[in-house]
Amino acid sequence: MPVDVGLIGASGISDAHTPAYRDFQDRIRLTGVCDVDEEQAIHIAEKYDAEYWIDFESFVEEVDATAVDIALPHALHFPAAKAALEAGKHVFIEKPFATSMEECFDLVELAERENRQLMVGMVQRYHPRHRAVKSLLDAGDLGPIHSGRIDMLQNLPEAGFPSSHWLYDGEHAGGGGILSVLVHKLDLLRYFLGDARRAIEMSKTVHEAFDDAEDYGVGLLEFENGTMVDFLTHSSISCVILTQLVV
């Protein structure tokens, strides 16, 4: 039987989620949609023959679903996930997990207490080529990894994100490019190399569209196995989008 799922957040990144509800109906079924934009909630709900809500507090209590899929601005991840877990739902959250370590630990403890599954959308671990690299590393075929580098470059203003978008606002986004996009590559490094034991980071805000959110960041990670990795992320640099991880 397919798992009944309710979607919280019906625009933006949810466009990367909804194809799964269309293509894997034998495994998952979208039974409810929630979004503060009622028109958008209705639009998605009608496509999947689902019900709709406009506030997540009512949604998690009333939706006929065993799990919820959270695709909201970062600052809302914690309150929405907390409400869903307390309502007895399993939870899948878009990255980043939350906007503070305290919130992350609180959700983990709550999920354990409620005996619910809690997962964060660090999806790059599951890409076939990344799994192939992991297999080579685990087998020792690549030898010891002494160093690595990550570049994550983008330009939100030139990509068409209006100045009013919440990604520019540190209060809603929880930060800038490091938390918003580089987090995928940082998690991929943990998948490849294990946990880091030390981190050094420097960042600054350059573009006027960003408010309390860095658009330039650099840093250095030292992993428990001795590997050193430096990273660079820009969110307003004039270039094509570039994602690069070298080890």
Side-chain angles (χ1 to χ4, degrees):
M1 294 291 292
V3 176
D4 291 338
V5 180
L7 175 65
I8 307 178
S11 58
I13 194 62
S14 69
D15 291 344
H17 295 219
T18 50
Y21 297 110
R22 178 195 64 215
D23 297 339
F24 300 99
Q25 296 182 40
D26 58 327
R27 303 183 191 179
I28 53 176
R29 180 172 55 193
L30 188 62
T31 57
V33 178
C34 178
D35 199 285
V36 293
D37 183 339
E38 185 173 11
E39 184 177 341
Q40 181 65 13
I42 293 173
H43 172 67
I44 299 299
E46 288 181 343
K47 286 181 65 175
Y48 292 90
D49 193 25
E51 297 183 83
Y52 80 91
W53 285 256
I54 58 172
D55 68 280
F56 67 76
E57 293 90 352
S58 299
F59 175 77
V60 297
E61 295 288 347
E62 299 171 5
V63 66
D64 182 17
T66 59
V68 297
D69 175 3
I70 298 174
L72 293 171
H74 305 160
L76 294 175
H77 287 188
F78 175 74
K82 182 174 184 290
L85 289 169
E86 290 176 339
K89 303 295 192 292
H90 302 292
V91 174
F92 178 88
I93 312 176
E94 251 297 343
K95 59 80 188 167
F97 193 174
T99 57
S100 73
M101 289 297 293
E102 181 180 5
E103 290 179 343
C104 294
F105 283 122
D106 284 351
L107 289 178
V108 170
E109 291 172 4
L110 179 57
E112 291 175 347
R113 204 159 56 238
E114 298 291 334
N115 194 28
R116 300 293 93 182
Q117 295 292 321
L118 172 64
M119 183 177 181
V120 184
M122 308 309 301
V123 297
Q124 297 202 6
R125 291 176 173 232
Y126 302 98
H127 196 288
R129 64 188 176 205
H130 294 156
R131 289 192 166 193
V133 171
K134 174 65 171 172
S135 296
L136 292 173
L137 289 168
D138 289 347
D141 293 344
L142 301 181
I145 306 301
H146 299 293
S147 66
R149 177 176 178 84
I150 311 171
D151 293 323
M152 182 65 224
L153 310 180
Q154 60 178 357
N155 191 313
L156 294 182
E158 289 187 4
F161 287 81
S163 59
S164 59
H165 197 281
W166 60 266
L167 273 174
Y168 297 109
D169 185 345
E171 182 178 351
H172 290 91
I178 295 175
L179 189 68
S180 295
V181 291
L182 187 71
V183 65
H184 266 310
K185 298 306 177 186
L186 296 176
D187 182 70
L188 194 57
L189 284 171
R190 291 184 64 243
Y191 177 56
F192 289 154
L193 303 172
D195 287 334
R197 62 186 175 199
R198 187 161 56 131
I200 302 169
E201 176 266 338
M202 293 172 49
S203 60
K204 64 179 180 178
T205 303
V206 177
H207 196 284
E208 60 184 10
F210 291 82
D211 180 16
D212 195 28
E214 80 280 353
D215 55 334
Y216 280 66
V218 296
L220 180 67
L221 301 169
E222 181 185 23
F223 286 79
E224 291 180 352
N225 66 0
T227 304
M228 296 182 299
V229 176
D230 63 292
F231 66 78
L232 169 70
T233 181
H234 294 172
S235 297
S236 62
I237 190 170
S238 294
C239 71
V240 295
I241 293 177
L242 168 66
T243 301
Q244 177 176 292
L245 189 153
V246 181
V247 294

